[in-house]
Amino acid sequence: MSQAGPPDLAAALGIEVFDFGPLAGLYRPVEAGEWKLAIGANIPSRGYWSGLTLVRKVPVLTRGSETWMSLTPVEYESQILGVEAAQGHVVIMGLGMGWVAAETALREGVSLVTIVERDPQVIALHRELDLFARLPGDAGEKVRIVEGDAFAWRPDHSVDLLMPDIWLNLVEGDRVPDVRRMQDNVGARAIYFWCQELEIARHAAAARRRLDAGGVNDTVRDFALPLVIPEGIDYPAIVHSAARQWMRDRWFAPEHAAILDAANLG
């Protein structure tokens, strides 16, 4: 009996197939030291703010038993707003699977993508994978990888967008001080950090603010960072949806979950 393909499986589950575009096809199994890039199965996967979809042959980056990155909808949606805001010189803290850097380099308004990665084994894995050299056109020529510490690295010329992505989990600790430390050295004109929506929700809840435009803007203002707040979309709704799907019990205090029911705040 032949195995059902992704469209058949998606139809059977009543969900759509998530399409990452041509970049997904550039990944292949590679290993370097403790790190391993593998191509997994077809799996149903929840988005960062969207619902369940089916993902084809998921590329996954692991170190030992820890999954550090995968090409899934939650990974895509939690980074794509930053990618869409990219222009000029973009600095990405953390190399991972490299898809954020690759997507960013493909944007016409981006002139240089600097990736700061502290682990030489991850850099070695990418030398073998050779992802950026295989990007369409000359996009890969925009990318440079620098071995360094995200908290100590300083640029040699001005930075238009800083995109920190150095954390293992969607939510852990308090990222705002980490981002401030990086920004003190980088001085970027704008910042978009991984899962910033969840941090906005946590801090808004701690300040007893609603997740509406006023509450989001006031919370971002308190961060004292030039965060990217996308225009032309209902960004507070995205913050609310991401928090509802992923915060679980990772608020600063259990009672902060009440922010997901705006009637309980005010």
Side-chain angles (χ1 to χ4, degrees), residues 133-263:
R134 293 182 290 129
L135 293 178
D138 59 356
E141 296 179 7
K142 301 179 186 179
V143 180
R144 64 170 182 168
I145 300 173
V146 178
E147 185 178 338
D149 186 334
F151 295 115
W153 182 84
R154 294 177 181 270
D156 49 17
H157 60 284
S158 61
V159 175
D160 297 289
L161 177 64
L162 171 63
M163 296 182 68
D165 179 11
I166 63 172
W167 306 277
L168 173 59
N169 299 309
L170 289 166
V171 187
E172 58 185 63
D174 182 355
R175 285 184 190 175
V176 176
D178 285 351
V179 178
R180 285 179 182 147
R181 285 179 62 193
M182 289 180 254
Q183 173 66 353
D184 285 346
N185 292 328
V186 174
R189 295 188 178 93
I191 300 171
Y192 187 90
F193 65 91
W194 185 48
C195 295
Q196 71 176 37
E197 293 75 21
L198 302 183
E199 288 302 296
I200 291 170
R202 295 171 89 204
H203 284 262
R208 296 194 59 78
R209 293 176 178 142
R210 297 175 186 270
L211 288 182
D212 55 15
V216 167
N217 289 336
D218 288 346
T219 301
V220 170
R221 190 176 304 114
D222 287 349
F223 287 176
L225 293 166
L227 287 196
V228 169
I229 303 298
E231 298 179 355
I233 61 173
D234 189 349
Y235 189 62
I238 285 176
V239 173
H240 186 277
S241 295
R244 182 173 292 280
Q245 295 209 125
W246 295 102
M247 281 303 300
R248 299 174 186 158
D249 59 351
R250 294 174 288 199
W251 301 90
F252 288 123
E255 61 269 22
H256 290 168
I259 197 173
L260 300 178
D261 180 2

